[in-house]
Amino acid sequence: MPDEAEKSAVDASIHYGEGTAANPRTTENIASDEIPIGDPPDGGYGWVCCGAVSLLNGFTWGVAASTGVYVSHWLDGDYFPDATVFDYAMVGGLIFGCALLFSPIWTIATRELGRRPVMLTGCVVMAGGYIAASFATKAWHLLLTQGVMVGVGIGAIFIPSVQVVPQWFLKRRSLAGGIASAGSGFGGLAFSLGTDAMIRHLSLAWALRITGLVAFGGNLIGTLLIRDRNHLVKPPQLGFATHLLRRYDCLLLLLWGATNLLGYMVILYSVSSYATQVVHLSQAKAGILTAVLNLGTAFGRPASGLLADRYGRVEVSFALTFGCGLSVIALWIPASSYAILMVFAFVSGAILGVFWLSIGPLCAEIAGLKEVPSFLSLCWLAVVLPTTFGEATGLYLRRPSLGRWNYLYCQVFAAIAYLVASVFLAELWRVRRVEKAESLRPESRKPMGRMRHWMYRYRP
């Protein structure tokens, strides 16, 4: 029988994600494998790493959020005569898709070469993509530079950096994740407003060049500040962790991410165009809507992280996912004025990116701290298709012939995506409750072989 200190350590490891009942290891093995590395410090240099990741998110995904501003200007001007609306939609899709598609490569490269060389490569490639895009004269030039190159660069920065924050925190893991992901909101706010101003006062080409140079500087600082705890955690950092695909709880999390981001991409890139085409607002007001959406992200994610640490990560993620689907139905579909759109932009901005806020802490809680890099690699692959084609799907679902209801199918699609995603999290919530009840049951009441049978493990 373990003594009281060992019992407390085991309970903490199960509750905070250092091992779960879904893992086929026994409780005693969990304790012996995880406890010797020591609990994460829940602070110290971890806050510096949290700030560094927030900075990196601001100069990667925050910069990528300004793509909608470029799309608006491309559509209004005659920059690329051979380009179609689908080509412009694919620029944003390729940024997300390419950033996540090569995640196994970046995970393995981080294991073999180290975190900093991979991230420095990303800094150069991303900046080069924006600068090269300023010289583009054809649509395929644009797709190759501002789409593929920028996406690959962002991936080389984001994939190694997002693995770091969960290693430094335990009880405050979701709060730290919220602060880190909030950087994309502040970055999106700054770059959305700044990009529009640069295009109007300088030119579109110079806006791209300045963006590339500024992003390089910001990402370089973040890369130099970040530090991992791999020497203690010793994660395997597998590119394709197929053993996790045999776990029901892991599959539920992957399905949640894929369906969640279908709705995310549609909302993120459709709100500003909805404002100009349906509500007939000016480009300036549409740009302000995008900025307000990013402002909601900046303030909403840390608050959501705080709630997740207080009330449970799966539970709060479920509530935010379900709430985003409801906000589309309650606010966006009936929106016919600037004021309502402003409310929707702020509310949806605070909760629509729940995936980016929660995925790191949830991976640690579901699979265990050592498996975070490997599980995240699977998560990025699971969301490649939704992020690549989500925006194009939203544009395809528009029906100009319906006039006021031009975006109705697009809006319904986004709402359904979030509501279906919430179903997967509701099932994960149920599974976790069953696991917890099972872990508290005396060993004498557990028949032999029971923990090895996954169908029984998730039976109420």
Side-chain angles (χ1 to χ4, degrees):
M1 290 291 289
D3 60 23
E4 292 302 318
E6 289 174 332
K7 286 182 180 179
S8 300
V10 171
D11 289 343
S13 69
I14 292 174
H15 182 73
Y16 289 114
E18 307 304 310
T20 68
N23 196 310
R25 298 177 299 170
T26 64
T27 300
E28 289 77 8
N29 286 338
I30 290 175
S32 62
D33 287 348
E34 301 288 356
I35 297 306
I37 69 173
D39 288 338
D42 253 340
Y45 196 80
W47 290 118
V48 177
C49 292
C50 184
V53 174
S54 184
L55 185 69
L56 291 168
N57 281 329
F59 284 99
T60 52
W61 297 120
V63 173
S66 66
T67 303
V69 178
Y70 288 108
V71 171
S72 295
H73 285 275
W74 290 332
L75 292 172
D76 283 349
D78 192 24
Y79 292 96
F80 303 97
D82 63 325
T84 64
V85 174
F86 181 79
D87 292 326
Y88 294 142
M90 283 304 297
V91 173
L94 283 172
I95 290 176
F96 276 86
C98 290
L100 303 176
L101 178 63
F102 299 101
S103 57
I105 295 176
W106 301 133
T107 301
I108 295 171
T110 300
R111 182 186 69 205
E112 300 298 329
L113 304 175
R115 197 172 307 277
R116 187 165 292 173
V118 176
M119 294 177 66
L120 289 174
T121 301
C123 294
V124 173
V125 174
M126 179 186 173
Y130 275 108
I131 293 172
S134 69
F135 299 100
T137 57
K138 297 184 181 298
W140 71 269
H141 298 166
L142 196 66
L143 293 171
L144 182 62
T145 54
Q146 196 170 349
V148 175
M149 282 186 67
V150 170
V152 169
I154 288 177
I157 299 168
F158 172 71
I159 300 300
S161 66
V162 76
Q163 306 166 0
V164 173
V165 173
Q167 296 181 351
W168 286 93
F169 295 90
L170 188 65
K171 295 180 180 179
R172 300 173 179 170
R173 187 172 283 159
S174 291
L175 173 61
I179 294 173
S181 62
S184 62
F186 287 113
L189 175 64
F191 279 98
S192 294
L193 297 176
T195 298
D196 184 64
M198 287 189 291
I199 293 174
R200 286 188 286 105
H201 293 95
L202 298 173
S203 67
L204 192 142
W206 272 107
L208 287 166
R209 292 165 195 157
I210 293 171
T211 296
L213 293 173
V214 172
F216 177 80
N219 287 324
L220 180 62
I221 294 172
T223 298
L224 296 177
L225 288 174
I226 202 166
R227 185 190 304 166
D228 61 45
R229 300 177 74 241
N230 284 353
H231 61 290
L232 294 174
V233 179
K234 303 186 186 306
Q237 301 187 79
L238 304 176
F240 300 94
T242 54
H243 64 284
L244 295 176
L245 295 177
R246 295 191 290 270
R247 289 179 48 180
Y248 183 51
D249 52 355
C250 292
L251 288 176
L252 287 173
L253 197 62
L254 295 176
L255 289 170
W256 167 69
T259 50
N260 181 296
L261 288 187
L262 277 174
Y264 171 83
M265 293 297 292
V266 170
I267 297 174
L268 186 66
Y269 288 108
S270 297
V271 170
S272 59
S273 59
Y274 175 89
T276 57
Q277 295 180 20
V278 176
V279 188
H280 305 296
L281 300 177
S282 65
Q283 285 288 353
K285 288 186 175 181
I288 292 174
L289 277 176
T290 303
V292 169
L293 188 145
N294 284 291
L295 185 66
T297 297
F299 287 101
R301 290 189 182 179
S304 300
L306 193 62
L307 290 173
D309 285 331
R310 178 72 176 83
Y311 297 105
R313 289 155 192 150
V314 175
E315 293 86 339
V316 171
S317 297
F318 162 76
L320 295 177
T321 304
F322 187 74
C324 200
L326 291 183
S327 71
V328 172
I329 297 171
L331 294 173
W332 191 19
I333 292 178
S336 58
S337 68
Y338 187 41
I340 297 178
L341 278 177
M342 288 282 280
V343 173
F344 172 72
F346 187 82
V347 171
S348 64
I351 61 177
L352 68 83
V354 57
F355 173 83
W356 307 107
L357 154 73
S358 302
I359 190 61
L362 283 176
C363 283
E365 182 163 329
I366 300 301
L369 192 58
K370 285 186 177 182
E371 296 284 7
V372 167
S374 304
F375 195 15
L376 282 174
S377 182
L378 289 179
C379 292
W380 308 140
L381 288 177
V383 301
V384 166
L385 290 179
T387 52
T388 303
F389 298 103
E391 181 187 0
T393 301
L395 288 173
Y396 178 77
L397 290 173
R398 292 184 308 166
R399 295 293 184 270
S401 60
L402 296 180
R404 160 70 180 85
W405 303 107
N406 179 3
Y407 279 73
L408 180 61
Y409 294 167
C410 172
Q411 293 164 325
V412 170
F413 176 80
I416 290 176
Y418 273 105
L419 294 177
V420 171
S422 69
V423 172
F424 292 121
L425 271 192
E427 171 63 4
L428 181 59
W429 186 0
R430 184 194 70 82
V431 165
R432 299 284 292 172
R433 291 181 65 184
V434 172
E435 290 174 354
K436 185 176 180 180
E438 183 70 22
S439 67
L440 297 175
R441 187 174 300 216
E443 287 294 329
S444 60
R445 297 180 60 187
K446 298 177 183 178
M448 292 182 59
R450 190 168 178 174
M451 292 297 291
R452 294 191 293 270
H453 197 298
W454 74 270
M455 284 295 290
Y456 182 86
R457 193 160 63 240
Y458 302 114
R459 193 172 69 193

